[in-house]
Amino acid sequence: MKFRLQRQSRKQKKGIIPRVHIKIHNGQFEIMGMGAWHSYWRDPYHLLLTIPWLGFLLLACIFYVVINAFFAFAYLLGGDCIANAQPGSFSDAFFFSVQTLASIGYGAMYPKTTYANIIVTIEAMIGVVGIAVMTGLAFARFSRPTARVIFSRVAVITLHEGVPTLIFRTANQRRNMILEAQMRMYLMRDEITVEGYSMRRIYDLKLLRNQTPNFSLSWLVMHIIDESSPLYGMTAELLTHTNTLLMVSVSGIDETVAQIVHARHSYGANEILWNSRFVDIMHHTPDGNRYVDYNHFHDVLPVDEVS
């Protein structure tokens, strides 16, 4: 017991969180604070990548002012060490630091003692590294690949080719091509093992078509519910009782930036509708062409109302 307590105290010194709060909502286990930018305060790099742009710019400004104020005080400690600057003037020392850090060099003020030249050397090195770091962070924020993929708000279970089928649809909002797009679907639910232990199981759901060479418009994703499917024999009540959750993800190569993009979505038990079908969004024009009407992308109808 004594050894275990010592190990816990060491972990606490390292900053390991002793508790992780989890909330169950619609079958989804939500880790409190997960994905929020402020949850990365122990990891400055991820914090600066995930914080909103306004916060990033504000932190950059604060850092810039603080570092120049620090060197301004350092110059003041050297006495009258800056030529053409008023002795003891914080503003002159501060703006001299700004010129040094940014390598502006107007020439009106310059170091005139060995002490001042040493501080200038240190500040110049920090300025070079700081500019490189800020440039890298800004580039990393701009260059992060993102996918603008929309998923239907609900999934449906209905007959397709006479077989019960789980269906949802997705679309590419950018109107460009996502090449070699791949779709994956997982089912998560609570189960009791033979030994009586409760555990969260994850199943891979086989899709009727899990990839497409170019994902540009809409994609109707289907999973056939047969004897091999984890959904076989399930009802709406059982889905709710077992905290069932469907996780779907799509990934592919964005042809515009030639980078891999991905998107994900989840469907809880109350977002899976039975005996319903999606409203058709593919229509024909009088001249024989086709168009997609995304105004009804999320709309469904009960099977008995489908003509």
Side-chain angles (χ1 to χ4, degrees), residues 56 70 73 105 135 141 156 244 284:
F56 177 78
F70 171 80
F73 282 115
T135 302
R141 291 177 63 92
V156 300
T244 297
H284 293 270

Side-chain angles (χ1 to χ4, degrees), residues 183-223:
M183 184 73 64
R184 296 177 179 86
M185 184 188 299
Y186 307 94
L187 182 142
M188 306 177 187
R189 67 185 178 200
D190 297 337
E191 293 185 1
I192 304 296
T193 65
V194 177
E195 294 78 15
Y197 296 107
S198 176
M199 65 183 304
R200 187 78 168 168
R201 287 192 184 274
I202 302 176
Y203 296 92
D204 296 331
L205 297 186
K206 183 179 180 180
L207 302 179
L208 193 61
R209 178 169 57 91
N210 67 345
Q211 60 184 8
T212 179
N214 50 63
F215 178 25
S216 57
L217 297 176
S218 63
W219 186 353
L220 204 62
V221 184
M222 303 181 184
H223 165 71

Side-chain angles (χ1 to χ4, degrees), residues 1-7:
M1 178 65 71
K2 183 178 180 181
F3 176 70
R4 292 179 63 183
L5 290 175
Q6 289 177 348
R7 290 190 63 183

Side-chain angles (χ1 to χ4, degrees), residues 225-292:
I225 305 176
D226 54 15
E227 290 81 357
S228 63
S229 171
L231 288 170
Y232 185 75
M234 295 292 289
T235 63
E237 291 75 17
L238 283 175
L239 293 180
T240 303
H241 179 71
T242 57
N243 289 320
T244 297
L245 180 72
L246 292 177
M247 291 289 298
V248 296
S249 64
V250 60
S251 61
I253 302 173
D254 190 307
E255 69 165 356
T256 304
V257 296
Q259 290 182 313
I260 297 178
V261 294
H262 62 88
R264 62 184 177 90
H265 190 71
S266 62
Y267 295 100
N270 64 355
E271 295 169 331
I272 302 175
L273 306 182
W274 296 71
N275 300 319
S276 299
R277 297 188 64 178
F278 284 106
V279 173
D280 192 8
I281 59 175
M282 295 290 296
H283 302 282
H284 293 270
T285 61
D287 56 0
N289 293 321
R290 293 184 179 183
Y291 68 93
V292 181

Side-chain angles (χ1 to χ4, degrees), residues 55-100:
F56 177 78
L57 295 175
L58 182 62
L59 284 178
C61 292
I62 292 175
F63 174 78
Y64 191 75
V65 171
V66 169
I67 194 68
N68 281 293
F70 171 80
F71 279 104
F73 282 115
Y75 289 123
L76 291 178
L77 290 177
D80 187 15
C81 63
I82 303 175
N84 299 326
Q86 296 182 6
S89 173
F90 175 80
S91 60
D92 283 358
F94 180 86
F95 291 118
F96 176 73
S97 173
V98 170
Q99 296 174 24
T100 303

